[in-house]
Amino acid sequence: TQVDMAVEGVDGPQLRRAMDRAYAEMLRLEALMSRYQPRSVVSRINLAAGIVPVAVPPEVMAVLQSAQRVSATSGGAFDVTVGAFKSWNFGHGDKVVPGASEIARQLPLVDARSLLLDVAAGTAVLARRGMALDLGGIAKLPILEAGMNMLRSEGVENAMINGGGDVRTHGLWQGRPWRVGLRDPRSPERLLGVVAVAGAGVVASSGDYERFFFHQGQRQHHVLNPRTGRPASGVHGVSLVARDVAAVNGLGAALMVQGAQAGRLLAQRTGLAVLMAGQDGSVWQSAAM
């Protein structure tokens, strides 16, 4: 994920030091939560699946607890144990579309209820061998939040951090609200609109346009449906705007799986600002958006 940071203040060297410390804090958390780093806590949990609990630091425990809450409220549409679908490759190298029999073997290993947390002991374990965590849908915003907290602890009052379309803001930019563009999932170089955010804010976006490839004329993207092992369909992109990370974290991926109707119901129930781009080219936004 590309991360961009913008800060404003009167002391250039002090701002640079603050940015360096914020980046260092985000890298520290990535090293704990990335499944792509073999020594991360997440990788250790995956290796110990079905064998033994693994000690996890408070930062990781908080993300795992958040993942369980989103899984429960979304009826399983969001599930960090989709890491068991190991055959998909959306990164470097040959792109892979698993066969039906391979996905059928992996489906029983996807169940968020089998992620067992002992908060008092500070441990986590996956109940069965072959299970695996993938925190890609829920770790990024807390990491950006930690970067913003570091900036503020260093005295920076006006800042924006953008991590691959997830944006955390604080303060203002040259005396005006921050302007955050919402990309058109079908033409990502274009914008569907711009959100003005003053003060503390979060703009969270999920879509099928960041990591994907075409196979037999069909778009294959990295937001997998936990129930099918295949890419989610029906919604091409979701954007949510809120004041704090907890209000929206994980919901983008969940709505990609659940579909447009679930997005409308969520907005009605919570008053959240939601924008959804449908497969048919339609765009729906809630009253708050």
Side-chain angles (χ1 to χ4, degrees), residues 8-280:
E8 183 185 35
V10 296
D11 185 339
Q14 183 264 340
L15 292 176
R16 173 58 63 186
R17 287 193 299 271
M19 294 173 80
D20 289 343
R21 288 171 181 168
Y23 272 119
E25 174 65 1
M26 291 189 287
L27 287 173
R28 182 185 74 85
L29 294 174
E30 181 200 16
L32 294 176
M33 292 190 261
S34 171
R35 68 187 177 104
Y36 300 107
Q37 299 197 21
R39 296 185 179 181
S40 72
V41 174
V42 164
S43 292
R44 294 205 299 271
I45 293 171
N46 293 346
L47 286 172
I51 303 173
V52 64
V54 172
V56 299
E59 303 96 324
V60 178
M61 182 64 77
V63 171
L64 295 178
Q65 289 178 294
S66 177
Q68 287 191 323
R69 288 193 294 272
V70 178
S71 178
T73 57
S74 68
F78 179 83
D79 193 323
V80 290
T81 66
V82 292
F85 296 127
K86 297 183 176 75
S87 303
W88 285 99
N89 179 30
F90 298 97
H92 300 295
D94 294 334
K95 304 301 185 264
V96 176
V97 177
S101 60
E102 193 165 8
I103 287 181
R105 288 196 302 272
Q106 295 166 344
L107 272 172
L109 300 173
V110 178
D111 184 357
R113 295 168 298 182
S114 294
L115 168 61
L116 309 177
L117 306 179
D118 188 330
V119 178
T123 62
V125 64
L126 292 163
R128 298 190 299 282
R129 287 177 182 262
M131 294 187 72
L133 295 176
D134 179 350
L135 302 185
I138 201 160
K140 187 164 49 167
L141 277 175
I143 291 174
L144 299 183
E145 176 84 337
M148 182 62 75
N149 289 341
M150 180 63 71
L151 288 175
R152 296 197 64 206
S153 73
E154 294 288 322
V156 178
E157 288 301 322
N158 300 299
M160 182 274 295
I161 306 177
N162 173 15
D166 286 331
V167 178
R168 178 73 169 83
T169 68
H170 196 270
L172 301 169
W173 179 249
Q174 297 179 349
R176 297 186 296 272
W178 295 94
R179 290 170 57 79
V180 180
L182 305 183
R183 296 165 87 182
D184 182 342
R186 274 297 152 264
S187 301
E189 70 281 1
R190 300 188 312 186
L191 298 180
L192 288 174
V194 176
V195 176
V197 185
V202 181
V203 181
S205 296
S206 297
D208 61 10
Y209 51 86
E210 286 285 353
R211 296 172 61 203
F212 70 93
F213 60 91
F214 285 96
H215 176 74
Q216 296 180 351
Q218 297 293 316
R219 179 185 291 257
Q220 310 292 331
H221 62 89
H222 74 289
V223 183
L224 300 178
N225 185 332
R227 301 184 185 96
T228 66
R230 301 286 182 187
S233 60
V235 175
H236 286 313
V238 178
S239 293
L240 305 105
V241 182
R243 285 295 172 193
D244 60 272
V245 165
V248 295
N249 198 21
L251 292 183
L255 293 177
M256 289 281 294
V257 172
Q258 290 178 302
Q261 184 60 28
R264 294 186 178 94
L265 292 174
L266 173 74
Q268 291 170 4
R269 189 173 74 251
T270 63
L272 269 177
V274 182
L275 182 144
M276 305 187 77
Q279 203 167 32
D280 57 0

